[in-house]
Amino acid sequence: MSPNHDHFPEGAAFRSTLKNRYGIASLWQALFFSALIIAILSLTALLYNVLDGTFGYIAFEYKKDPTTFTSTPLADLEKDELLVILKENLSSGAYKKLDNEQAMQSRSQADLYTLFLERLVQIDTKQTWSMTESILRGNEIRAEAAGKYPDAKLEFRSWLTPQFLVTPMSSKAEFAGVRTAILGSLWLVGIALLFALPIGTGAAIYLQEYAPKNWFTRIIQTNINNLAGVPSIVYGMLGLAIFVRVLEPITSGSLFGVTDSNGRTILSAGLTMGVLVLPLIIINAQEAIKAVPDSLRQAAYGVGATKWQTVWHHVLPNSIAGILTGSILALSRALGETAPLIVVGASTFISVDPSGPFSKFTALPIQIYQWTTRAQSEFHAIAAGAIIVLLVMLLTLNATAIMLRNRFQRRY
């Protein structure tokens, strides 16, 4: 039987068909490349917008002359001098409140200096300018500040400084920091990890290695997959109903003798975040366990190993890299969440560091949200600095996930 040549063009028809194929391939390549360029430009614009608010000129005045409190230059003030100045010039109630929050004697020189500027000298910010304006319109800004605010000082400021990282929240943007928010975020991630990682890994092992393949497990698997896409605020409502209200004796610490808190504690928020990332951890752990070659299981059974011995000595060691990577990436989502924390009861203003699981708390996303809602431009500037801190924390978690994957990954 002669071959059918209808589907195999030859000569000019072949060259035309080939040209069309390469043309379509080039078009798709151009579309994919355009998508990459758009993604890079979008990320660049985002980062530049954040950096643009983090640096720039600021015009400010002292409401009270520092020389009315001390003849020593501000840069030369020692800790003991600052303690005396604060005690003599603050009201007894204000000084006692500060001392109760943290003993004044135990505070660092930098903390006392910040209190001196904030409570006594009191900085009055007149205007701020973005980094782009400060660079491109520097001469105009200096002339404008000299004309509008003749008594003000003008300086180019970075709102993201080492002091910003170690200073607690303040009602004045010039003295506010993210220390309390960073500690709150770390507490949240730690509690979520301790809760979700063992439960998620155990559930994944059971579903993948032990559970029978029937309609019931298929329903469970479908629900887990659906829960991974549920909006985070729904988990906030769940946390409010269960951890804040039903389990209040535990989450408030009253069961353990704590009397100065309610259910809206960092423990409730951490458990809520743990529930939020639990479906993601289960799915990632299942995929990591699936990736272990079945030949390893069969070899273990062949030499007399039990099911548990096979899982413990062969499946888990070979899937640990994927489990840890997926878990850390899931926690990155928890680190950036805001809605569940608002529902559970995160504080928008708190200057006391969390000292345990039953403490009141805030977190970096909450702090950023609160600052961006303020009308003053200086709060927008420190919000930009806090965004950079949050991005660094997220990138650190992602980098940790990559290092763990490379460290534990086994190739077959």
Side-chain angles (χ1 to χ4, degrees):
M1 185 168 113
S2 62
N4 186 356
H5 295 287
D6 292 341
H7 301 293
F8 302 97
E10 297 179 353
F14 172 77
R15 288 190 293 272
S16 177
T17 302
L18 188 63
K19 183 178 180 180
N20 289 338
R21 289 181 178 179
Y22 276 105
I24 294 173
S26 299
L27 177 62
W28 281 108
Q29 182 180 1
L31 288 174
F32 294 146
F33 182 72
S34 300
L36 175 63
I37 295 299
I38 292 172
I40 292 174
L41 290 175
S42 300
L43 290 173
T44 303
L46 170 66
L47 292 175
Y48 182 81
N49 185 57
V50 173
L51 290 173
D52 193 44
T54 309
F55 304 90
Y57 276 120
I58 175 175
F60 65 94
E61 294 179 0
Y62 291 134
K63 288 186 176 181
K64 296 180 182 179
D65 190 346
T67 58
T68 60
F69 302 102
T70 178
S71 58
T72 306
L74 296 183
D76 298 331
L77 285 172
E78 299 292 337
K79 178 179 177 178
D80 293 337
E81 295 177 275
L82 289 167
L83 275 172
V84 172
I85 293 170
L86 289 168
K87 192 165 187 177
E88 290 178 349
N89 293 278
L90 286 174
S91 66
S92 58
Y95 188 89
K96 185 177 180 180
K97 181 180 178 182
L98 290 170
D99 195 51
N100 288 336
E101 291 177 358
Q102 182 182 347
M104 296 293 280
Q105 290 285 352
S106 66
R107 293 177 185 255
S108 65
Q109 189 272 346
D111 284 344
L112 295 175
Y113 182 72
T114 299
L115 287 174
F116 170 69
L117 292 178
E118 180 182 3
R119 301 299 181 95
L120 299 180
V121 175
Q122 300 181 25
I123 290 178
D124 180 21
T125 299
K126 298 299 183 182
Q127 190 172 346
T128 62
W129 291 267
S130 68
M131 180 180 68
T132 302
E133 292 177 315
S134 301
I135 294 174
L136 299 181
R137 298 178 49 243
N139 293 331
E140 296 177 31
I141 289 173
R142 285 188 285 272
E144 179 185 353
K148 293 173 65 176
Y149 317 110
D151 297 328
K153 295 183 178 181
L154 182 71
E155 67 177 33
F156 189 90
R157 174 174 295 185
S158 167
W159 294 91
L160 181 59
T161 63
Q163 188 66 21
F164 180 71
L165 299 176
V166 298
T167 303
M169 179 58 179
S170 171
S171 58
K172 290 286 187 179
E174 298 84 358
F175 307 107
V178 292
R179 183 184 72 194
T180 304
I182 290 175
L183 292 175
S185 292
L186 293 177
W187 268 97
L188 287 174
V189 170
I191 292 172
L193 180 66
L194 290 175
F195 172 77
L197 183 58
I199 294 177
T201 304
I205 291 173
Y206 178 80
L207 288 171
Q208 198 60 38
E209 299 292 327
Y210 290 93
K213 308 303 179 186
N214 54 29
W215 63 271
F216 183 68
T217 54
R218 284 195 295 272
I219 290 176
I220 292 176
Q221 190 68 59
T222 301
N223 280 299
I224 290 173
N225 294 334
N226 290 335
L227 286 171
V230 169
S232 59
I233 195 168
V234 176
Y235 286 100
M237 298 299 293
L238 173 67
L240 176 66
I242 302 300
F243 300 124
V244 175
R245 293 176 178 169
V246 176
L247 299 179
E248 182 180 358
I250 297 175
T251 56
S252 67
S254 61
L255 197 64
F256 310 101
V258 178
T259 58
D260 59 347
S261 68
N262 53 29
R264 298 178 181 273
T265 60
I266 201 167
L267 178 59
S268 296
L271 292 174
T272 302
M273 288 303 187
V275 173
L276 186 149
V277 300
L278 186 58
L280 298 174
I281 291 178
I282 293 174
I283 293 170
N284 289 326
Q286 280 188 271
E287 294 300 321
I289 292 170
K290 282 181 188 178
V292 177
D294 198 52
S295 57
L296 290 179
R297 297 177 178 84
Q298 300 303 324
Y301 296 146
V303 295
T306 63
K307 187 78 169 179
W308 169 242
Q309 288 173 325
T310 302
V311 170
W312 181 254
H313 294 286
H314 299 283
V315 175
L316 271 180
N318 286 282
S319 61
I320 191 67
I323 293 173
L324 291 177
T325 301
S327 300
I328 292 175
L329 293 178
L331 290 172
S332 296
R333 179 193 173 185
L335 185 62
E337 285 291 348
T338 305
L341 301 180
I342 294 175
V343 175
V344 170
S347 302
T348 55
F349 183 91
I350 183 171
S351 58
V352 181
D353 297 337
S355 57
F358 308 120
S359 302
K360 295 179 181 179
F361 72 99
T362 188
L364 267 174
I366 297 290
Q367 203 68 78
I368 293 168
Y369 168 76
Q370 195 266 341
W371 283 336
T372 54
T373 58
R374 303 288 290 270
Q376 298 92 332
S377 58
E378 55 267 30
F379 280 102
H380 301 166
I382 60 174
I387 289 172
I388 293 177
V389 176
L390 180 59
L391 288 175
V392 170
M393 292 179 70
L394 288 171
L395 291 174
T396 301
L397 277 176
N398 293 343
T400 303
I402 293 171
M403 288 189 293
L404 288 174
R405 182 191 64 195
N406 294 337
R407 170 67 177 82
F408 293 106
Q409 192 172 36
R410 300 186 182 186
R411 304 191 181 277
Y412 308 102

